[in-house]
Amino acid sequence: MQVAASLRNLCCSFSRRDQISLICRRHLKMSCQAALSPLVRSPGWCFVLSPHAIAAISRFYLPHRTKSLRNESIRCWSNIPFITMPLSRAHGKSFAHRSELKHAKRIVVKLGSAVVTRGDECGLALGRLASIVEQVSVLQNQGREMMIVTSGAVAFGKQRLRHEILLSQSVRQALHSGQSQLKDMAIPVLEARACAAAGQSGLMALYEAMFTQYSICAAQILVTNLDFHDEQKRRNLNGTLHELLRMNIVPIINTNDAVVPPPEPNSDLQGVNVISVKDNDSLAARLAVEMKTDLLIVLSDVEGLFNSPPGSDDAKLIDIFYPGDQQSVTFGTKSRVGMGGMEAKVKAALWALQGGTSVVIANGTHPKISGHVITDIVEGKKVGTFFSEVKPAGPTVEQQGEMSRAGGRTLAALQPEQRAEIIYRLADLLTDQREEILLANKKDLEEAENKGRLALPLLKRLSLSTSKLNSLAIGLRQIAASSQDSVGRIIRRTRIAKDLELEQVTVPIGVLLVIFESRPDCLPQVSALAIASGNGLLLKGGKEAAYSNQILHHLTQEALSIHGVKDAVQLVNTREEVEDLCRLDKLIDLIIPRGSSQLVRNIQKAAKGIPVMGHSEGICHVYVDTDASVEKVTRIIRDSKCEYPAACNALETLLIHRDLLRTPLFDQIIDMLRVEQVKIHAGPKFASYLTFSPSEVKSLRTEYGDLECCIEVVDGVQEAVEHIHKYGSSHTDVIITENEKTAEFFLQHVDSACVFWNASTRFSDGYRFGLGAEVGISTSRIHARGPVGIEGLLTTKWLLRGDNHVVSDFSDQGSMKYLHESLPLPHRNTS
């Protein structure tokens, strides 16, 4: 009783049933369970312990565990949110969008036979099963109510029975045969019900052992059709499941295959209130509706639902499936194991959806995704096929990608003058529709200021003005004028042999995905460059610029319409997450992020099989040499740091030659930075020279993006180059000196996209380079580097024109010889 009293004192709060019960009674010894039993079983109540209470119970009641295991357990439980997750919701309507799945509280995970069993169908895929248990445990420990509908008893039983039969046969043959060599032993066909009977206990013991590793209790429930069709049994089943969930126990449900009768074909799915449990797909659907679950996850051995059998040439994965779309799908054969196929899964999913449960069908066997497929689905990521009753107003992003590719190909086929005409028209619209654009931008600014979600530098990027629109229009006209000879330009001609000529010509890359933040002026710039280079374009802007982006995209499509290529540029307005867009490798050929360094890093990490053009950081250096001009130094440093400190090409680290310390020039630099209110951080060497130094820099590899910079001391140009290579980001670096030899050494040895002599870092810009505009600045070493204009959005293809040429003619016994003569290029129109 003292133990019971102690535990009662440890209880820190109580809550109603719709809150989260955080501690499973399995953690406590029998005496503790007896003391807490009345408390736990009180109708509608659960108990909650504080993290300190958990630690105390773990130390006192788990003495048999090692210290490290106790600590690990404590950390795990202590990270669970206590009475803070608003997961409960009114049931009756399924989620409309994937992004809402994170609010699912009660979840059923259905594991198909192909997921649970090995490839030889004799035994379980233990590694895969362990990963699934881990994911379910993570969600359970978040306060969700998890249930598993599992297959695998037949396969597990088949493995056990095969072993027993082989052992029995070998013993009999050894006893009745005088020969030492045993005859070949044939294994009889094993009846499925017998296999299920032999495998159920072992399967449940395996689940129990796995869930125990995460301090979670599991309970087995075997059901048949009668348990749903008999009203009393149905109520009993419902009550048992609710009681288990209330006690934070994961129910493991399976059909009782040891006694279940053979399924009747086409006897199920007659209506909302009638469904025959003939396989685990229909069982999971029936259970999900009975228990009013928020989400049903059906794991199989395919990525989801395809419009035709997976593996066929035209098969495409369906991202979202709507009721009534069955006519657009051709179903194939069922999986290698199990009773159902994809058609059965779709029927069951639609039945559950009609009953108010959201459904996702996904792959639970793929080694690259099975370790996080369940948690990814709950987080709203684009995995598998999501069943929804709400059709979007516009096209899906996949449809937009296809429209963009088709429109881009038509755009590339236009004459250069026609593409230029579209860009000129867009430039005119930016000035003609100035008032409408600024009014939409004002709405964005007011919303951002009211919500307070943007910092001042981002608000400046978001803001449009008459002067900005005029500059945009000028830049677009530059692009139009310089794009006349971009697509289809011959860059190499070679005579391979007589009457066999080879050409290398420029062509568009394909479909570009440009993701940008807080910069609506980016939309017409990038659109013009895509039009000039004949590329299709998908644009994903930040929600903070929604009104501005909408009107600018409308004007872009209006300009494209004069030559019937309106679909070439698409604005993604759906709820697609950036990470999901980065997985569309069959629709997108190049991703170009425009925004913060964090955005660029996230996209580079998320991109799956799609190249990313950009830079993750803009750590730009200015090196002041001993031969620097006093007049030039302060002007260049001020412009590089203070003209627009949030830009990626702004100065972040100032390198000073050691001999300039304690000179009038150095004092002028410091005074200027103080006047401009630039906060100075001292590098390690610079700090060592000072008695009272500014705050020492935490890292020499820092992009401040504000009126801050680091000052460091170097012994000369060689050390300056080494410092830049070690701490820079290969963006833009500058030397200020009057010594031409020193300058050339710097220009030739600094390995950055842009290297300047006696010029501000801010010149690293497509408009200032005369490119008209830029889609971004690339620090990669492949394809394009530095400010990327039209040329960076082109690739090449080879054209070979012959006359009945075959390779065998060029063999040793052939009649022809290779010439490989370089031919002059046609005159390029630069007007």
Side-chain angles (χ1 to χ4, degrees), residues 534-581:
N535 285 287
L537 180 62
L538 288 176
L539 293 159
K540 177 66 173 176
K543 58 185 177 182
E544 65 278 355
Y547 295 110
S548 305
N549 290 338
Q550 189 172 1
I551 189 171
L552 290 171
H553 178 250
H554 174 74
L555 297 178
T556 302
Q557 290 202 315
E558 182 179 335
L560 287 163
S561 297
I562 64 177
H563 288 297
V565 286
K566 177 181 176 181
D567 291 341
V569 177
Q570 298 284 326
L571 180 63
V572 179
N573 285 319
T574 61
R575 297 191 180 196
E576 302 293 330
E577 296 292 337
V578 169
E579 186 174 343
D580 292 329
L581 291 172

Side-chain angles (χ1 to χ4, degrees), residues 3-4 7 25 27-38 57 60-61:
V3 172
L7 284 171
R25 294 185 303 120
H27 294 301
L28 309 179
K29 288 190 174 182
M30 294 301 295
S31 59
C32 307
Q33 291 178 341
L36 288 171
S37 183
I57 293 172
F60 187 82
Y61 292 103

Side-chain angles (χ1 to χ4, degrees), residues 704-723:
Y704 298 99
D706 205 345
L707 286 173
E708 298 180 60
C709 75
C710 169
I711 297 181
E712 183 58 312
V713 175
V714 293
D715 290 336
V717 65
Q718 178 66 48
E719 188 176 344
V721 171
E722 292 172 356
H723 178 102

